[in-house]
Amino acid sequence: MKVLVAVKEVATVEEGFELDGTTIDERYLEYDLNEWDDYAIETGVQLAEDDDDIEVVSVSIGPERAEETIRMALAKGVDRAIRVWDDTLAAAELLDVRTKAELFDAVIEAEAPDLVLTGVQAHDDSFGATGVAVAEAAGFGHAAVVNALELDADAGTAHVRRELEGGVEELTDVELPAVLTIQTGINEPRYASLRGIRMAQRKEIDVQTLADLGLDPAVVDSPIELTDMYEPESESNVELFEGDANAAAENLATVLREKGVGAE
Amino acid sequence: MSDVLAVVDHRRGQLRDVSYELISAGAALAEAMDGTLALAVISGNVEQFAATLDREGVDTIYTVDHGEEFNHDVYVQSIEALYDELTPTALLMPNSVNGLDYAPAIAERLGMPLVTDAIDLSYDEILTVTREMYGSKVETTVTVSEEPFAVTVRGSEWAKAEGNGGATIEPFEVSIDESAMRSTVTGFEEVGGGDVDITDADVLVSVGRGIEEEENIELVERLADALGATLSSSRPIVDNGWLPKNRQVGQSGKVVTPEVYIAIGISGAVQHVAGMKGSETIVAINTDPDAPIFDIADYGIIGDLFDVVPALIEEFDE
Ligand SMILES: Cc1cc2nc3c(=O)[nH]c(=O)nc-3n(C[C@H](O)[C@H](O)[C@H](O)COP(=O)(O)OP(=O)(O)OC[C@H]3O[C@@H](n4cnc5c(N)ncnc54)[C@H](O)[C@@H]3O)c2cc1C
């Protein structure tokens, strides 16, 4: 049995960032493994630990820089990695959901996994759509926002819980092959061990181009264009208490007392 | 003339608020497009839902009477059939957990471009969508130069539609292909019960990932004690197992409306804000002046919680 885990390297924005047109100035971006994908990786690795016949393969769309993040997945126990990238992808302004679905679908066709795991969303653009779109493209079953998984490989079923709003969980059975989008908290992602990190250096990252995947360069064309980026306007008129911690705390305490806080 | 088809959201017998917001968003879009607004009501008590949804701006309500609860395969097949019949230009869906379980699938099936989590929409020959990125730190606009298109709409961004639309209600027959259904809902469960009810508290001291380590939770516990407040948290604290689920504020936790909400080391992600923006007074303590929590806070301290919280405890312990 094969589990494919989608792994994205995302940028987080540092304090005091500056905008540069429709992007954030590179100096303020820090690249890291997408939080949700960390839980997806852990889910895949735990399945493989429980069953020797399970191979876990990661797939990423991203430039060479992303290999650091991919190595992290390998160090945590992913068996091998695929990275999809070439000049056409690098030149694209934006990879939309349709494009990503086609790319992942091509990888799924080549790898024929039984289970595909993605994060619920990527922290950077928060689209939250890739996993379910991929399922449709591949003709797989799916479940979005999964916070518990019990795999019955023999029956070909994934018993999952979907985390709905307001503390309600939906219990669902999904037929394999399937795509599950994994929610944080489903498990406790491990830290890579030193041995894992050493072993990851020797594991293979297979770089696939659009041509390798049998895709036409037109697959990156998108009618969606990012036209503006700006800092949101504040909805409230926040009153900031300045000065050192003691002075600020004193002023805040005064306001809190006025509101009856701390009164016995 | 181009038309809008909006798909409403319901769960366990109740229409969800975002349904009425979708009507407002859809009616405004239909007007800008010089077109009509149709609603799709799929599964559940469709007749009763349709009657309640007949609000201002709605022209037609199509009901698909199939099953009680949400199933994404039923939704995808029903929307596909409605699409074939109506060929709308815009397909609007909720950016709810269930919305995200079918919207990407139907957009992919129909070959439409998809933009999710819209907080504003405008249309002037082409569609412009406003949405956030990087955990609400920036807002962006994107244009979509292909029609038809699909958009999911964030909850609580549009007003709920009111009034009466005088809409036509039309039952719509879809022959659901059961053999193409790949998932079955087997039940529901409420989680996050227990002894503490954070929705009851007048004052909440709420802690986020800025607290860094489990052993530091004790620091905010002491503050809560000093203030006579109840301790709550953002999601990562619960995900890490540092506090139980019944302390979680937000979309997948509890919705709280205390008199005072003190957010400590919480960035203010949309799913967190969904659970606390109704608080009377919001106080934020955060090192990052760009943290979105300051956009909704009434009072704030830009500073290190490990300095500010002990100082605050001292203020109240005196
Ligand atoms: C479907 C779905 C449902 C979700 N439901 C919920 C939910 O119900 N509730 C919820 O909270 N989240 C929810 N989330 C997660 C949400 O998107 C955020 O990831 C989460 O709210 C972030 O929590 P945080 O603010 O504690 O952490 P972060 O976003 O990491 O913020 C930590 C903050 O601490 C500040 N900080 C760091 N160090 C210090 C210091 N020493 N002193 C002061 N400040 C410091 C940082 O500047 C930062 O602003 C959900 C997400 C999804 C996709």
Side-chain angles (χ1 to χ4, degrees), chain B residues 111-140:
Chain B
M112 292 180 178
L114 169 69
V115 180
T116 61
D117 206 14
I119 60 172
D120 199 11
L121 296 173
S122 68
Y123 187 89
D124 183 8
E125 277 164 43
I126 64 167
L127 176 76
T128 302
V129 184
T130 307
R131 63 190 307 283
E132 296 179 335
M133 278 179 72
Y134 300 109
S136 305
K137 278 200 170 178
V138 298
E139 255 173 52
T140 65

Side-chain angles (χ1 to χ4, degrees), chain A residues 11-17 19 24 29 35 39 94 96-98 101-102 120-121 123-130 132-134 136-137 139-145 147 161-177 183-188 222-241 245-246 248-250 252-253 255-257 259 261-264, chain B residues 9 11-12 16 70 72-73 76 95-98 100-106 108-109 111-117 128 130-146 181-192 203 209 226-228 235-236 239-240 245 250-253 259-260 262 271 281 283 285 287-290 294-302 307-308 311-312 315-316 318:
Chain A
T12 46
V13 178
E14 291 184 6
E15 285 173 25
F17 70 92
L19 292 171
I24 289 172
L29 295 180
E35 186 182 348
Y39 291 85
L94 169 158
D96 71 16
V97 181
R98 275 194 305 203
E102 284 205 50
V120 164
Q121 64 170 25
H123 170 77
D124 50 4
D125 63 15
S126 311
F127 253 74
T130 305
V132 172
V134 168
E136 174 65 28
F140 281 21
H142 73 264
V145 193
N147 70 353
R161 279 171 182 260
R162 294 183 55 234
E163 183 196 78
L164 307 179
E165 292 86 354
V168 177
E169 297 183 346
E170 178 198 278
L171 284 67
T172 299
D173 292 341
V174 190
E175 271 174 42
L176 300 182
Q183 175 64 313
T184 60
I186 186 173
N187 50 38
E188 251 181 82
S222 173
I224 299 175
E225 192 188 346
L226 184 63
T227 49
D228 200 7
M229 184 179 286
Y230 48 92
E231 294 193 41
E233 253 176 61
S234 178
E235 285 172 34
S236 65
N237 246 332
V238 61
E239 182 178 341
L240 293 173
F241 300 116
N246 289 324
E250 191 183 332
L252 175 56
V255 169
L256 291 176
R257 280 200 195 91
K259 300 199 177 288
V261 177
E264 299 288 300
Chain B
D9 214 26
R11 197 172 79 194
R12 304 172 86 191
R16 303 190 66 246
F70 170 77
H72 61 237
D73 294 316
V76 169
N95 201 70
S96 58
V97 172
N98 281 343
L100 289 180
D101 200 43
Y102 72 84
I106 187 65
E108 178 69 21
R109 181 168 298 185
M112 292 180 178
L114 169 69
V115 180
T116 61
D117 206 14
T128 302
T130 307
R131 63 190 307 283
E132 296 179 335
M133 278 179 72
Y134 300 109
S136 305
K137 278 200 170 178
V138 298
E139 255 173 52
T140 65
T141 55
V142 298
T143 54
V144 184
S145 59
E146 182 183 311
M181 306 220 349
R182 315 207 45 165
S183 62
T184 323
V185 178
T186 59
F188 292 92
E189 209 173 287
E190 311 260 353
V191 296
V203 184
R209 183 145 47 193
L227 299 184
R235 177 175 187 120
D239 282 345
N240 290 344
K245 177 85 187 167
Q251 175 189 304
S252 48
E259 278 158 37
V260 179
I262 308 176
Q271 297 91 352
T281 300
V283 179
I285 300 170
T287 42
D288 182 0
D290 298 320
F294 286 118
D295 294 339
I296 57 158
D298 302 291
Y299 300 96
I301 296 178
I302 297 167
D307 299 328
V308 176
L312 204 52
E315 283 291 330
F316 280 87
E318 272 165 14

Side-chain angles (χ1 to χ4, degrees), chain B residues 211-316:
Chain B
I211 199 75
E212 285 172 12
E213 306 277 344
E214 182 168 16
E215 58 255 37
N216 298 334
I217 295 286
E218 182 254 346
L219 178 65
V220 282
E221 264 167 0
R222 279 201 286 137
L223 177 63
D225 282 349
L227 299 184
T230 303
L231 188 64
S232 60
S233 79
S234 67
R235 177 175 187 120
I237 303 301
V238 173
D239 282 345
N240 290 344
W242 299 350
L243 285 176
K245 177 85 187 167
N246 59 16
R247 304 278 181 158
Q248 183 181 318
V249 173
Q251 175 189 304
S252 48
K254 299 263 162 67
V255 175
V256 298
T257 51
E259 278 158 37
V260 179
Y261 186 88
I262 308 176
I264 301 174
I266 291 177
S267 64
V270 52
Q271 297 91 352
H272 184 78
V273 170
M276 47 67 74
K277 62 171 183 284
S279 306
E280 216 158 289
T281 300
I282 297 170
V283 179
I285 300 170
N286 198 305
T287 42
D288 182 0
D290 298 320
I293 191 78
F294 286 118
D295 294 339
I296 57 158
D298 302 291
Y299 300 96
I301 296 178
I302 297 167
D304 191 327
L305 74 91
F306 296 105
D307 299 328
V308 176
V309 173
L312 204 52
I313 293 171
E314 209 163 290
E315 283 291 330
F316 280 87

Side-chain angles (χ1 to χ4, degrees), chain A residues 208-227:
Chain A
Q208 297 269 319
T209 64
L210 291 179
D212 293 336
L213 293 171
L215 293 170
D216 191 275
V219 69
V220 304
D221 293 348
S222 173
I224 299 175
E225 192 188 346
L226 184 63
T227 49

Side-chain angles (χ1 to χ4, degrees), chain A residues 25-86:
Chain A
D25 193 316
E26 195 63 37
R27 281 177 298 164
Y28 303 98
L29 295 180
E30 209 180 311
Y31 292 93
D32 214 337
L33 170 62
N34 181 39
E35 186 182 348
W36 282 266
D37 300 351
D38 201 7
Y39 291 85
I41 292 167
E42 183 65 32
T43 304
V45 170
Q46 285 187 10
L47 289 172
E49 282 173 343
D50 291 346
D51 180 346
D52 287 343
D53 290 334
I54 292 182
E55 185 192 21
V56 184
V57 182
S58 74
V59 52
S60 309
I61 302 170
E64 201 176 344
R65 186 196 60 225
E67 293 208 351
E68 205 179 313
T69 293
I70 297 170
R71 292 259 175 236
M72 197 126 87
L74 291 169
K76 288 171 182 242
V78 167
D79 295 305
R80 62 187 168 85
I82 297 166
R83 178 169 70 86
V84 179
W85 202 246
D86 64 12

